Amino acid sequence: MKYKELITQMTLEEKASLMSGKDFWQTQDIKRLGINSMFLADGPHGIRRQEAAADQLGLNASIPATCYPTAATVANSWNADLGEKVGDFLGEEAIAQKVNVLLGPGINMKRNPLCGRNFEYFSEDPYHAGKMAASYIRGIQSHGVSACVKHFAVNNQEERRMSIDTIVDERTLREVYLTAFEIAVKEGKTKTIMSSYNRLNGDYTNENQHLMQEILRKEWNYDGVVVTDWGGSNDRIAGLLAGNELEMPTTDGQTDREIIEAIKSGKLEEKVLDESVDRLLDLIFSTNEVFEKAYKKEFDVEKHHRVAQKVAEESIVLLKNEDNLLPLKFGKKVAVVGDFAKDARYQGAGSSIVNPTILDHTMNCFEESGILSIGYERGFDRYGKKNVELINRACSLAEKADVVFLYIGLDEMTEAEGLDRKNMKIPDNQVDLLYALHKVNPNIVAILSCGSAVEMPWIDKVKGLLHGYLGGQAGARAILRVLSGDVNPSGKLAETYPLRYEETPSFQNFPGNEASVEYREALYIGYRYYDTADVDVLFPFGYGLSYTNFEYSDIHVDKDGVTFKLTNTGDIAGMEVAQLYVGCESSEIFRAKKELKGFDKIFINAGETKTVAIPFDDKTFRYFNVRTNKWEVEEAEYEIMIGASSADIRLEDTIFIEGTGASVPYDKEKLPSYYSGNANNISKEEFEILLEREVPVSTWDRTKPLGYTDTIEQCQYAKGLFGRLIYHSIVFAHWSLWKIGKRSTANLIMMSIYHMPFRGIARLTGGIVNMPMLDGILMMVNGQFFKGLRHVFKERRKKIKLANIN
Ligand code: BGC
C-alpha cells in the first residue's frame, strides 16, 4: 500500500468516512491528516459545477462552461486526436472550476436507438467507442485531474435503469459491452470508473464480483477508483468487497456506520477497507496536486468557443446531396425555415446539461456565412401540433427561394436521461411541414438536430441532408460553414440508421420486462446484425459524404497490419475516414460478418495520394471463448477489408492466422439463429442454450411486500392503500405537469422518483431519511400505515438525539 503509514494514523471512523461523500459532490476531508476533499462534477461534454446549493437534478444553474458537442456527435468525427483535444479543453476548464474528477465520458454501447442517453454515448461499436474514450481520457488527465468513464456496465437503457437486471451471455458481455471499458482502462488509463445502477446477471454491477473483481481488477489490473452512480449503492458492504471505494452522494454517515459495524462483527476484514482507502487517497492526492500550486482560475472563453466550433465542424455528417446542391452556389436565395434555426438544439437533458458561456443560433450567424437569406419562418411549434398558419407562411417564403434550409429535429424533452424515446420518429408536425414545402419548392436541404438515430420515411422529399447531431454551443455556426462550403464535411455515422425501428435486432427485447431485460440478440448489435443478416438499412454504420471523392487502391496485408493508398480525386481538399473491418472465413464459431478493428482519418489535398497504414492489435483476431474463459484466436483465413463505410468495402485481401488451439465452445446444431445471424427474434430456449442456464423470471413478484430494492413504480400493486395512493399521485403529477407545459419537471419525476428503488430515499436525501426510517415508510406502503408512521417518528427522534450527542 502506497499510503500505509498515513492509514495507520487514521481511526476506523476516519477510514470509513472517506468511503462516501461529504455532500452531493465532494468527498470527505480529514484536516488533521492533511487530507482534502475532492470535487466531482458532470459532465461528459462540459463542466456542470453548481454555484449554489448542489442538487443532482440540475435544478440549480451551474457555473457557465463551454458546451462542447456531445459524445454522440464527436464520435462522428472518427478522429481520436480531436477527442483528445476535447478532453484537453475539458480538463483545462475542470482546473479553472476546481473540479478533481470529471464524470465522463459515457461509453455505453448503443444497443437500441431508443435509449434516452444515446446522445451521451459514442457508438454501437466497442472498438470505436473505446478508442474515442481513451483519447478523451488522455486529454482530460493530461491536466492532472481525473476522468471517470461511466456507466460500468451494460447500462443500455434508461427505463428502470436503477433496478433492471441485464441478462447477457459471457461472450457478448466481453466482446460487445466491456471492450470499450477495457480500452478506456488499458489505453486511456482512466483513474476513475463509475459503476452503473443496473444489475448484471443477477447482481448490482457495483457488487458484482465477476465484473468488478475478476474482470476489472484481476484481468485488467485496474488500480484506480470505482465510484457508484449517484444513489446507486445498494449493499454497502457487498460494494466494498467488490472493490467500490466511493459511494456518492453523502448518506450522512449512515453507510460509514455500516462499514464500522461490519468490521467489528468480522463480516468485513479491515484490510479490505485499508486497501480501498489507499486507492482513494491516491486519487485525492494526485488530483489535488495541481490545486496546491498556482493554477489558472480562468480560461479563454472565446478560444474555447472556437474550439467547440471546430470540433462540431469535423463531426457534422452529410447524408444526402442530390444534384450536388451543397455546398450552396454563390448568389442562391435561401429561405430558412424551422424553429431549430432560431433556437438551436445543441445538447441533451439530464445530468450532462451545461450552462453554455456563449450560444450560437443559426439566425444570429447567418450574415457572416455569406449565404443570401430571403427570410425566416418558424414553420412549426416545437412542442405543438400541426399549425396550418405557420406552414402556409413558410410555404409562401419557400416559393420565392432557390433553396430551402429546413431545420428539423427532436426537442429537448425527447432525448433525456432517465427516459427512453417512445419511437424513432421526428414529430409529425415537422414532417407535415416538409411535405407542404416540397410541393412549392423541391430544393430542400434538411438540417437535422438530434443526438440519436431517427427514421426518415420522408427522405425522398429532401435533396440535401446534413446531420449536425447535438453540436454544442457553437454547432449552429459550424453547420452554416458546411452549408456554405467553408468547411468540407468529413463526419461519418457511428451508428446505423435502420429503415424502421421494428428492424432493429433488440426490438423484441427492449426495454425488457418488469424485472429484467434479455440481450437475446447477443453479439448482433448495430451493423453486426444488419450486415450479417442482410437487412437493408437507411444509412449504414460508418457512412458519410464529402464534397470531394476518394479512391482507394494498392492494399497490402502482412502480420503487422494493412497499408493502402488513398487519393483525393476531386478538386477540393478533404478528410476521409478509412475503416478496417475483419471477417473470419471459418464458420466454426459464430460471429458477425465483419467487425471494425481500426480506423484512420486522413487529410488529403485535391489530386494528392497518401499511403495509409492501419496496424493490427491484440483485438484484431480475438474472440472470447466461454470454455477456456479466455480470449482466443481461431486458426483460419481472415478477410481484411478497407471500407468507406461498413457497407462500402473498397479493398479486400486475406491473411492466414495461426490460432491458439482452443476447442469450439458451441454446439452448432443447437444455436441455429446465432450461426445464421438472424438474431432479431431468438427464442427463449435458444437464448438459454447460449447462456447455459435458465433466464430468471422477468416479472415482479406481486405476492411479496415491497422492500428496499423494489421501486416506487411497484407501489401500483402495494398492499397498503397509502402505497397505491403514492403511485397514482406520481402518475397524476407527471401527467398534469406535462399538460401545463412543465415538461422538464415532469421528466424529472420519471427520472428521479418513479423508477427509484425505495433504498434511494435513504441514499439520495443526504440523511434526511435513514434506513430505519425507511423501514417505517415500507410498513406504511405495505399496509401497516399507523404502525409504520409511529416507527418513522420513533426513528427520527433517535436520529436527532444521536446527532445532538455527536
Ligand atoms: C447519472 C450520472 C451522473 C450522476 C451525477 C446520475 O444520475 O447517471 O451519469 O454523473 O448522476 O450527476
Side-chain angles (χ1 to χ4, degrees), residues 24-25 41-44 48 56-57 103-104 117 120-121 150-151 155 158 161 194 197 229-230 351-352 417 751:
F24 229 90
W25 302 112
D42 288 301
R48 181 174 73 103
Q56 183 206 3
L57 305 178
L103 304 173
R117 278 183 105 167
E120 276 189 66
Y121 301 145
K150 59 190 189 184
H151 308 89
N155 177 186
E158 290 300 288
R161 64 174 173 163
M194 184 189 290
Y197 286 127
D229 198 344
W230 266 233
S351 63
S352 68
E417 177 175 337
M751 169 182 148

